[in-house]
Amino acid sequence: MQDDPQSVPAELAEALTRFRGNLALCDAELSLTYGELASVVAACQPHLAGQRAVGVFGAPGALFGALATACVIDGRPFVHLDPAMPPSVLSNILDELQISLILTAEAPKTGQLPDACRVIEGATLLGGPAVERITPGQVAPQDAIYLVATSGTTGRPKCIPVTQDSAFLSYRWRDAYTPYGEGMRVGIYIFAIWEMFRPLRNGAEMWFPRLDDLLSPQALARFIAAHDLTEMLFTPSFFGKFLQGIDAATGAALPLERVILNGEVVSDRLVAEARAKLPQAVLWNLYSICETHDICMSELTGEEPAGQGVRVGRAMPHLRAIVLDDHDRLCPPGIPGLLHFEGPRMLGPGYVNRPEETARRFRDLVIEGQALRLYDTGDRGFVDAAGEIVVLGRDAHMLKLRGYSIQTRELTETLAGLLRFSHAIPWVQPVGDHDQALVFYFTADVAEDRANRDRWGIEAGQQRIPAPLASALREVLPAYCIPTYLVRLDAIPIHQVSGKCDYKALPAIVAEPVANAGDAVPALAHAARLLRCPVADLDPARSFHDHGGDSLMCVDLILSLEGAYGRNVDFDWALNLPLSRLHELLSAEATTVASVFDRSGIFLTGVTGFLGRHVLAAALERLPADQVVYCLVRPRNNDPVRRLAVIAEAVGAAPERVVLVPGAIDDPRFGLDGDHYADLSAQVSTVIHCAATVNLAVDRAQMQAWSRAGIAHVLDFCRAAAADLRFSSSTAVFPETGGPFAEAPAQLFDACTGYGAAKIEAEAQIAVSGVPAAIVRLPSLYDLDAANPKDVYEIILSACRAAGAMPEGLAFPMIDVRAAARFLTRITSGEGAAYYNLTADQPVTGDMPGYDRLTAGDWLKRVDLPEGLSKLLTGDPQTLRVDARYDNAAAKAAWRQAGLGPFSALSDGTALLSRRLNYQGEPALT
């Protein structure tokens, strides 16, 4: 092991070995330990050889993080290819950087990536063999560690290389301010994905929220709480939206200990609100620019002295702040000017293939007789006598809007292709009390005025950008680069001293009074309010995004819609659905979801699953006629009301006895507000927990994490309701051979699947909870009349039938789902946890005539199986010959006590095989 690695690739490579058993990258679909991440890096390295730069395509998450980490460790700079970018912008980035290799963390749409590039699906690089040590790439200090493609204000994004040396020095410097340690849990702000490399060097866990979770304040709060996250970085604009959407009690209960704010000026009001709602969190202001990496960092205490500008701290070592006046003369301490920074090891090389822009921003000047290379930040400010940097605001060539960087010169050039003008100034102006908008001020002569009026209907003065012009710009620009307002001026105001534009003299935007929405539906009314336009100007067939709304504005829209419709709102729906369709979906669910839980009954999870629907039917048979079944269904699923209604109709349930509870087990209180949660708790006497996730592509650690979060919330509810619990566990908690396995606590074993490990995790939490519980371990379940298409053995039997062949010695445990459902609804719970192995005395076996008998290996070669199952069976063929034995005495006793008849009715293997396979013996088909 190196004593002191001297590059970021070397630090990361050492971390993979040092922390190999610890979690590294986690999201809702995947988690990777440091050791598993090392396997991904090893699988990537042969593909990366010889590449100058690599594109990583997809929304940030655990797989994206793994692919980006592989590039960094191998010394290959990567650039993030955001699926939300227009295909033309993606193509321009790839051309600009001469990229020929793309690693994908999600499937691209048809035509989204150029055919000329080699594309490797990242998921195929998972699950490789363990590796002892990763050899990092050899890098020079001025090599790029990654590339940032900013703005896109011409459709040709500016690509900024960040050097290995600047990253290494910055990471070491920041460790003193924000240290990371083994096992620390860090939330990743997915718009600043390169931040993950800092904590990854020191053994921390990176947790990636889904976009839906990130852009809903309440969902993000639940995500932070569920995963016990202690740090997260935000832009100030985004952090403000988050604080706006949570109350003080929610904020104070969050585990956050540190919040880093970066990308914009932090207002005193934001600091005050953060201190009120997150009193336990230390706030840090990070002043950084891609071209110089980090600059300085300071703690925000709310006690900064009043005065001009924002105090951001002292420049880090290897950087020096230099303030110049309009004639490039050095400003004394305390005198404002244009902020520059000097430092050969921190400044980047400039912009890829843009020598003129590089020369404008990276300036070679002689200052007090010394030749220096400076970076022009675009910020005005000063350095006080103590060396503290004070930022006064932006200069003209780059703007910041809700955390996005906008290059004004390039935006002007792009607009010149569509709009006629003589001179122009893009600027960000406040609109109303809290909002900001991008404004395009311009002058035009008579001929240009006529052309703009004829083509776009533009008149003198202020107006919102016409919809046809916005639509044309949306073909080549990100939404945040499209001006909200156009202001036609007679002349650009000039500062009398500097001779430059006097930005303070640009006319303020007068927000149009929002007309009374009248009878407009809430989706249209709230969209119009946020877009500051009359409802009549909106096209119901177009989305909020189509009308110019961006992701941060959509957070406001979601909060308003949730209040109006009384339900959780999916981010993708709010941003991208036509407004009329959005209203239709929200209304359909809002008018059907019960808002009052006022009848006694039981609480059921997993009702949309194979077992759950049969439990619903069995429960309604047993419950008194005045009692109901409360069914938990995720609200983000399409039409959960209709899905539940279809299930209820299929099992013959009276609709009034099936009550939807919109929520999810992985959310605290299932996502319900306090009043509804309390009302539900008061009505429920029994909880039957059937919800489960089976995903063969997800590793064991992630399955355990999901199970840990879900069962904790179920047990919390049982305590609140004073209810007993019936938990559908699995025989997967035991090996597939050996036994007899006792009706007692199970232990994790080496070959345990992720599904089995998740059940063991849940059983262990139930056992120590004090909640009266029946833990019912079930094998695979069958319904003679309707096969479960997701069950492993149903898939195996279907493959046997299609191939006309069976593996030798096929044997597996499987019972009737109706019998399992009756057992779950009729058993009683005593004190503590009781274990039941609800298994038949013999596994399902058979020798069907007309089928070839093949070894497991030959059978796997002949049949067509899903990739995940094929991989599982190849690695563990014992799954085809399960000969495990189970102690089921307690289950038999409970079966008798429940009056369920002969125990042999639990499973009929002969009938099952005959129903699934017997068509092979029919003469017409042989």
Side-chain angles (χ1 to χ4, degrees), residues 401-402 427-431 435-439 484-485 509:
L401 177 64
R402 294 188 282 271
W427 198 243
V428 172
Q429 292 280 40
V431 180
D435 201 10
Q436 288 187 314
L438 179 60
V439 183
T484 302
Y485 292 95
I509 295 300

Side-chain angles (χ1 to χ4, degrees), residues 325-361:
D325 65 16
D326 291 336
H327 302 287
D328 289 337
R329 293 175 302 205
L330 196 64
C331 293
I335 301 301
L338 191 61
L339 270 175
H340 294 69
F341 285 94
E342 180 269 336
R345 297 184 66 181
M346 294 300 296
L347 267 61
Y351 307 109
V352 176
N353 297 331
R354 295 198 179 192
E356 293 182 2
E357 181 68 10
T358 297
R360 274 194 299 271
R361 302 294 298 279

Side-chain angles (χ1 to χ4, degrees), residues 429-752:
Q429 292 280 40
V431 180
D433 294 333
H434 303 292
D435 201 10
Q436 288 187 314
L438 179 60
V439 183
F440 192 75
Y441 294 94
F442 67 98
T443 63
D445 60 26
V446 174
E448 290 165 338
D449 274 338
R450 184 183 306 112
N452 292 334
R453 185 169 53 251
D454 292 346
R455 185 175 185 184
W456 306 114
I458 294 173
E459 302 290 347
Q462 168 193 315
Q463 68 180 98
R464 292 185 66 85
I465 189 168
L469 178 55
S471 180
L473 288 171
R474 204 168 286 118
E475 294 296 319
V476 293
L477 298 180
Y480 62 84
C481 289
I482 299 172
T484 302
Y485 292 95
L486 302 178
V487 180
R488 196 284 198 190
L489 302 173
D490 293 329
I492 300 293
I494 301 299
H495 194 281
Q496 293 182 356
V497 176
S498 69
K500 298 179 180 180
C501 174
D502 185 353
Y503 296 98
K504 292 183 179 180
L506 290 170
I509 295 300
V510 179
E512 309 98 317
V514 178
N516 190 321
D519 296 329
V521 299
L524 285 166
H526 287 298
R529 177 179 57 81
L530 292 168
L531 294 167
R532 296 189 173 275
C533 68
V535 171
D537 287 358
L538 298 181
D539 180 356
R542 299 171 67 215
S543 69
F544 184 66
H545 181 265
D546 290 338
H547 285 95
D550 62 27
S551 57
L552 280 177
M553 294 170 68
C554 193
V555 175
D556 285 332
L557 180 63
I558 288 171
L559 293 173
S560 299
L561 295 177
E562 288 179 344
Y565 290 95
R567 54 146 292 172
N568 292 335
V569 178
D570 181 87
F571 171 78
D572 187 61
W573 284 13
L575 186 65
N576 296 315
L577 280 179
L579 293 170
S580 58
R581 176 60 175 157
L582 177 63
H583 169 69
E584 178 185 340
L585 290 174
L586 296 181
S587 296
E589 294 193 20
T591 55
T592 312
V593 172
S595 58
V596 177
F597 304 137
D598 59 357
R599 289 176 286 171
S600 298
I602 68 170
F603 182 73
L604 173 62
T605 74
V607 69
T608 59
F610 183 68
L611 172 62
R613 64 188 62 200
H614 289 284
V615 171
L616 174 64
L620 290 173
E621 287 179 3
R622 294 284 295 172
L623 285 175
D626 61 343
Q627 293 194 15
V628 298
V629 179
Y630 292 102
C631 299
L632 184 71
V633 182
R634 284 183 179 274
R636 63 171 56 95
N637 289 334
N638 290 336
D639 286 335
V641 174
R642 293 174 188 165
R643 292 176 64 205
L644 186 58
V646 169
I647 291 168
E649 183 179 0
V651 301
E656 66 273 10
R657 298 191 65 200
V658 181
V659 181
L660 174 66
V661 179
I665 61 169
D666 48 358
D667 289 338
R669 298 188 313 209
F670 309 129
L672 300 173
D673 61 54
D675 290 341
H676 283 88
Y677 188 77
D679 290 346
L680 183 63
S681 302
Q683 299 299 334
V684 169
S685 57
T686 293
V687 174
I688 304 180
H689 181 28
C690 297
T693 299
V694 184
N695 190 330
L696 299 178
V698 173
D699 64 32
R700 191 163 86 181
Q702 181 62 68
M703 293 288 288
Q704 288 174 294
W706 283 343
S707 179
R708 191 160 46 241
I711 196 62
H713 299 146
V714 170
L715 290 170
D716 285 344
F717 179 72
C718 289
R719 296 186 191 98
D724 69 288
L725 172 66
R726 291 94 184 271
F727 175 58
S728 66
S729 188
S730 170
T731 54
V733 301
F734 301 124
E736 294 170 334
T737 187
F741 297 110
E743 292 174 298
Q747 301 298 320
L748 201 62
F749 53 96
D750 288 343
C752 187

